[in-house]
Amino acid sequence: MRKRERENPCAICGHYHKFEEGEACGVCGHRLQGANEKSPHMPSAFPTEVLPTFLYLGSYDNASRAELLKAQGIVRILNTVPACQNLYKNSFVYHCLKEEQTLPFNEAVDFIEQCNKDKVRVLVHCMSGQNRSPAIVIAYLMRYKGWRLAESYQWVKDRRPSINLTSAVLKQLQDYEKEVFGANASSTPIFTTPNDLAFGFGFQNNTQVAASPPTFIQPISCPSFDLGAANSHGSGSFIFGSERQDQKITNTPLGSISGTPMDNSMDST
């Protein structure tokens, strides 16, 4: 390697590689993306910063890049997948969750909060960084930030758009929200996930319940148009303005029109 290259490390990852020429870093794999590769969902070698200078979210790939973690000042790692190995026990303090089917939210968020009290940076990761680890981070925001599930989810989603919670994990989060805020806590406006599971979205609303398709006020009576025998498909129903009780029947060349004088006047125009 030439002297000039040794004196000018990559400004992004801090390692020595020809970033401008598209060469991948031999240490962390970082490289310049092509124009057709740029995407908000493109995986990054760097974990996602959820809370500034404190809480980071990522995948097993992120957790395997010790040099990048050190560059970000991360010193503790919460491993949410028992099957994932803790690779750098001499360099980081690990806490590994043992539950495979259910997420022990209280255990996990207490570890994260201890990191906050100790003023150290912590990475929360699972295999892909899309399901288990985002759920733990969302649970932490609910427990220690006092944010409802919908607000916590949106905060994480805005910073890591690739998260994709399964219906089982989402159900655990909904149950945990009730545990944190009380079983009788009011619900928030909801939307339906691709798995047809209702999920809160937006801020707390004390009067809002599960969303339903919009309904429209049906008029008791409205103008009906009788075009005689030529129209065998029935009459259409329309209403303009509020319902009126002073209706009358007027004979016109088109047949009988039921409605108020104002209705008839509007129809004639």
Side-chain angles (χ1 to χ4, degrees), residues 161-173:
S162 62
I163 69 171
N164 183 24
L165 304 181
T166 64
S167 58
V169 167
L170 188 52
K171 180 63 168 60
Q172 292 179 52
L173 280 172

mmCIF file with all atom_site columns, all heavy atoms in Angstrom, residues 161-173:
data_model
loop_
_atom_site.group_PDB
_atom_site.id
_atom_site.type_symbol
_atom_site.label_atom_id
_atom_site.label_alt_id
_atom_site.label_comp_id
_atom_site.label_asym_id
_atom_site.label_entity_id
_atom_site.label_seq_id
_atom_site.pdbx_PDB_ins_code
_atom_site.Cartn_x
_atom_site.Cartn_y
_atom_site.Cartn_z
_atom_site.occupancy
_atom_site.B_iso_or_equiv
_atom_site.pdbx_formal_charge
_atom_site.auth_seq_id
_atom_site.auth_comp_id
_atom_site.auth_asym_id
_atom_site.auth_atom_id
_atom_site.pdbx_PDB_model_num
ATOM 1  N N   . PRO A 1 161 ? -36.383 1.932   8.775  1.00 0.00 ? 161 PRO A N   1
ATOM 2  C CA  . PRO A 1 161 ? -37.585 1.592   8.012  1.00 0.00 ? 161 PRO A CA  1
ATOM 3  C C   . PRO A 1 161 ? -37.722 0.102   7.718  1.00 0.00 ? 161 PRO A C   1
ATOM 4  O O   . PRO A 1 161 ? -38.820 -0.352  7.376  1.00 0.00 ? 161 PRO A O   1
ATOM 5  C CB  . PRO A 1 161 ? -37.420 2.386   6.706  1.00 0.00 ? 161 PRO A CB  1
ATOM 6  C CG  . PRO A 1 161 ? -36.465 3.494   7.048  1.00 0.00 ? 161 PRO A CG  1
ATOM 7  C CD  . PRO A 1 161 ? -35.536 2.925   8.072  1.00 0.00 ? 161 PRO A CD  1
ATOM 8  N N   . SER A 1 162 ? -36.650 -0.667  7.844  1.00 0.00 ? 162 SER A N   1
ATOM 9  C CA  . SER A 1 162 ? -36.701 -2.079  7.468  1.00 0.00 ? 162 SER A CA  1
ATOM 10 C C   . SER A 1 162 ? -37.327 -2.976  8.531  1.00 0.00 ? 162 SER A C   1
ATOM 11 O O   . SER A 1 162 ? -37.490 -4.179  8.289  1.00 0.00 ? 162 SER A O   1
ATOM 12 C CB  . SER A 1 162 ? -35.283 -2.590  7.171  1.00 0.00 ? 162 SER A CB  1
ATOM 13 O OG  . SER A 1 162 ? -34.459 -2.500  8.327  1.00 0.00 ? 162 SER A OG  1
ATOM 14 N N   . ILE A 1 163 ? -37.696 -2.442  9.700  1.00 0.00 ? 163 ILE A N   1
ATOM 15 C CA  . ILE A 1 163 ? -38.250 -3.312  10.737 1.00 0.00 ? 163 ILE A CA  1
ATOM 16 C C   . ILE A 1 163 ? -39.553 -3.930  10.246 1.00 0.00 ? 163 ILE A C   1
ATOM 17 O O   . ILE A 1 163 ? -40.327 -3.298  9.519  1.00 0.00 ? 163 ILE A O   1
ATOM 18 C CB  . ILE A 1 163 ? -38.467 -2.556  12.070 1.00 0.00 ? 163 ILE A CB  1
ATOM 19 C CG1 . ILE A 1 163 ? -39.605 -1.538  11.958 1.00 0.00 ? 163 ILE A CG1 1
ATOM 20 C CG2 . ILE A 1 163 ? -37.183 -1.905  12.537 1.00 0.00 ? 163 ILE A CG2 1
ATOM 21 C CD1 . ILE A 1 163 ? -39.990 -0.935  13.296 1.00 0.00 ? 163 ILE A CD1 1
ATOM 22 N N   . ASN A 1 164 ? -39.784 -5.179  10.643 1.00 0.00 ? 164 ASN A N   1
ATOM 23 C CA  . ASN A 1 164 ? -40.960 -5.918  10.172 1.00 0.00 ? 164 ASN A CA  1
ATOM 24 C C   . ASN A 1 164 ? -41.391 -6.877  11.280 1.00 0.00 ? 164 ASN A C   1
ATOM 25 O O   . ASN A 1 164 ? -40.977 -8.036  11.308 1.00 0.00 ? 164 ASN A O   1
ATOM 26 C CB  . ASN A 1 164 ? -40.635 -6.663  8.883  1.00 0.00 ? 164 ASN A CB  1
ATOM 27 C CG  . ASN A 1 164 ? -41.835 -7.380  8.303  1.00 0.00 ? 164 ASN A CG  1
ATOM 28 O OD1 . ASN A 1 164 ? -42.984 -7.004  8.559  1.00 0.00 ? 164 ASN A OD1 1
ATOM 29 N ND2 . ASN A 1 164 ? -41.593 -8.426  7.538  1.00 0.00 ? 164 ASN A ND2 1
ATOM 30 N N   . LEU A 1 165 ? -42.216 -6.412  12.184 1.00 0.00 ? 165 LEU A N   1
ATOM 31 C CA  . LEU A 1 165 ? -42.635 -7.216  13.325 1.00 0.00 ? 165 LEU A CA  1
ATOM 32 C C   . LEU A 1 165 ? -43.606 -8.308  12.902 1.00 0.00 ? 165 LEU A C   1
ATOM 33 O O   . LEU A 1 165 ? -44.523 -8.061  12.122 1.00 0.00 ? 165 LEU A O   1
ATOM 34 C CB  . LEU A 1 165 ? -43.296 -6.331  14.388 1.00 0.00 ? 165 LEU A CB  1
ATOM 35 C CG  . LEU A 1 165 ? -42.479 -5.143  14.910 1.00 0.00 ? 165 LEU A CG  1
ATOM 36 C CD1 . LEU A 1 165 ? -43.273 -4.405  15.978 1.00 0.00 ? 165 LEU A CD1 1
ATOM 37 C CD2 . LEU A 1 165 ? -41.140 -5.599  15.473 1.00 0.00 ? 165 LEU A CD2 1
ATOM 38 N N   . THR A 1 166 ? -43.405 -9.502  13.433 1.00 0.00 ? 166 THR A N   1
ATOM 39 C CA  . THR A 1 166 ? -44.354 -10.578 13.176 1.00 0.00 ? 166 THR A CA  1
ATOM 40 C C   . THR A 1 166 ? -45.599 -10.382 14.033 1.00 0.00 ? 166 THR A C   1
ATOM 41 O O   . THR A 1 166 ? -45.583 -9.632  15.016 1.00 0.00 ? 166 THR A O   1
ATOM 42 C CB  . THR A 1 166 ? -43.727 -11.946 13.498 1.00 0.00 ? 166 THR A CB  1
ATOM 43 O OG1 . THR A 1 166 ? -43.445 -12.014 14.903 1.00 0.00 ? 166 THR A OG1 1
ATOM 44 C CG2 . THR A 1 166 ? -42.452 -12.167 12.708 1.00 0.00 ? 166 THR A CG2 1
ATOM 45 N N   . SER A 1 167 ? -46.675 -11.091 13.679 1.00 0.00 ? 167 SER A N   1
ATOM 46 C CA  . SER A 1 167 ? -47.911 -10.945 14.433 1.00 0.00 ? 167 SER A CA  1
ATOM 47 C C   . SER A 1 167 ? -47.741 -11.430 15.870 1.00 0.00 ? 167 SER A C   1
ATOM 48 O O   . SER A 1 167 ? -48.324 -10.859 16.797 1.00 0.00 ? 167 SER A O   1
ATOM 49 C CB  . SER A 1 167 ? -49.035 -11.726 13.741 1.00 0.00 ? 167 SER A CB  1
ATOM 50 O OG  . SER A 1 167 ? -48.695 -13.101 13.626 1.00 0.00 ? 167 SER A OG  1
ATOM 51 N N   . ALA A 1 168 ? -46.921 -12.469 16.075 1.00 0.00 ? 168 ALA A N   1
ATOM 52 C CA  . ALA A 1 168 ? -46.708 -12.987 17.425 1.00 0.00 ? 168 ALA A CA  1
ATOM 53 C C   . ALA A 1 168 ? -45.978 -11.980 18.306 1.00 0.00 ? 168 ALA A C   1
ATOM 54 O O   . ALA A 1 168 ? -46.354 -11.743 19.462 1.00 0.00 ? 168 ALA A O   1
ATOM 55 C CB  . ALA A 1 168 ? -45.925 -14.301 17.363 1.00 0.00 ? 168 ALA A CB  1
ATOM 56 N N   . VAL A 1 169 ? -44.941 -11.357 17.758 1.00 0.00 ? 169 VAL A N   1
ATOM 57 C CA  . VAL A 1 169 ? -44.184 -10.361 18.518 1.00 0.00 ? 169 VAL A CA  1
ATOM 58 C C   . VAL A 1 169 ? -45.038 -9.128  18.768 1.00 0.00 ? 169 VAL A C   1
ATOM 59 O O   . VAL A 1 169 ? -45.003 -8.523  19.851 1.00 0.00 ? 169 VAL A O   1
ATOM 60 C CB  . VAL A 1 169 ? -42.880 -10.007 17.778 1.00 0.00 ? 169 VAL A CB  1
ATOM 61 C CG1 . VAL A 1 169 ? -42.227 -8.761  18.377 1.00 0.00 ? 169 VAL A CG1 1
ATOM 62 C CG2 . VAL A 1 169 ? -41.904 -11.183 17.827 1.00 0.00 ? 169 VAL A CG2 1
ATOM 63 N N   . LEU A 1 170 ? -45.818 -8.731  17.779 1.00 0.00 ? 170 LEU A N   1
ATOM 64 C CA  . LEU A 1 170 ? -46.680 -7.566  17.943 1.00 0.00 ? 170 LEU A CA  1
ATOM 65 C C   . LEU A 1 170 ? -47.725 -7.794  19.025 1.00 0.00 ? 170 LEU A C   1
ATOM 66 O O   . LEU A 1 170 ? -48.036 -6.892  19.813 1.00 0.00 ? 170 LEU A O   1
ATOM 67 C CB  . LEU A 1 170 ? -47.354 -7.247  16.616 1.00 0.00 ? 170 LEU A CB  1
ATOM 68 C CG  . LEU A 1 170 ? -48.146 -5.939  16.533 1.00 0.00 ? 170 LEU A CG  1
ATOM 69 C CD1 . LEU A 1 170 ? -47.311 -4.761  16.983 1.00 0.00 ? 170 LEU A CD1 1
ATOM 70 C CD2 . LEU A 1 170 ? -48.628 -5.723  15.108 1.00 0.00 ? 170 LEU A CD2 1
ATOM 71 N N   . LYS A 1 171 ? -48.241 -9.009  19.084 1.00 0.00 ? 171 LYS A N   1
ATOM 72 C CA  . LYS A 1 171 ? -49.206 -9.339  20.140 1.00 0.00 ? 171 LYS A CA  1
ATOM 73 C C   . LYS A 1 171 ? -48.550 -9.254  21.515 1.00 0.00 ? 171 LYS A C   1
ATOM 74 O O   . LYS A 1 171 ? -49.163 -8.764  22.484 1.00 0.00 ? 171 LYS A O   1
ATOM 75 C CB  . LYS A 1 171 ? -49.749 -10.753 19.901 1.00 0.00 ? 171 LYS A CB  1
ATOM 76 C CG  . LYS A 1 171 ? -50.765 -11.215 20.944 1.00 0.00 ? 171 LYS A CG  1
ATOM 77 C CD  . LYS A 1 171 ? -52.007 -10.331 20.933 1.00 0.00 ? 171 LYS A CD  1
ATOM 78 C CE  . LYS A 1 171 ? -53.148 -10.943 21.736 1.00 0.00 ? 171 LYS A CE  1
ATOM 79 N NZ  . LYS A 1 171 ? -52.788 -11.141 23.142 1.00 0.00 ? 171 LYS A NZ  1
ATOM 80 N N   . GLN A 1 172 ? -47.306 -9.690  21.636 1.00 0.00 ? 172 GLN A N   1
ATOM 81 C CA  . GLN A 1 172 ? -46.589 -9.578  22.904 1.00 0.00 ? 172 GLN A CA  1
ATOM 82 C C   . GLN A 1 172 ? -46.394 -8.119  23.296 1.00 0.00 ? 172 GLN A C   1
ATOM 83 O O   . GLN A 1 172 ? -46.495 -7.760  24.473 1.00 0.00 ? 172 GLN A O   1
ATOM 84 C CB  . GLN A 1 172 ? -45.231 -10.276 22.802 1.00 0.00 ? 172 GLN A CB  1
ATOM 85 C CG  . GLN A 1 172 ? -45.313 -11.784 22.664 1.00 0.00 ? 172 GLN A CG  1
ATOM 86 C CD  . GLN A 1 172 ? -43.948 -12.432 22.539 1.00 0.00 ? 172 GLN A CD  1
ATOM 87 O OE1 . GLN A 1 172 ? -43.051 -12.193 23.349 1.00 0.00 ? 172 GLN A OE1 1
ATOM 88 N NE2 . GLN A 1 172 ? -43.769 -13.247 21.515 1.00 0.00 ? 172 GLN A NE2 1
ATOM 89 N N   . LEU A 1 173 ? -46.139 -7.269  22.327 1.00 0.00 ? 173 LEU A N   1
ATOM 90 C CA  . LEU A 1 173 ? -45.983 -5.837  22.608 1.00 0.00 ? 173 LEU A CA  1
ATOM 91 C C   . LEU A 1 173 ? -47.302 -5.221  23.065 1.00 0.00 ? 173 LEU A C   1
ATOM 92 O O   . LEU A 1 173 ? -47.324 -4.369  23.967 1.00 0.00 ? 173 LEU A O   1
ATOM 93 C CB  . LEU A 1 173 ? -45.462 -5.107  21.369 1.00 0.00 ? 173 LEU A CB  1
ATOM 94 C CG  . LEU A 1 173 ? -43.960 -5.207  21.100 1.00 0.00 ? 173 LEU A CG  1
ATOM 95 C CD1 . LEU A 1 173 ? -43.618 -4.614  19.739 1.00 0.00 ? 173 LEU A CD1 1
ATOM 96 C CD2 . LEU A 1 173 ? -43.167 -4.499  22.192 1.00 0.00 ? 173 LEU A CD2 1
#
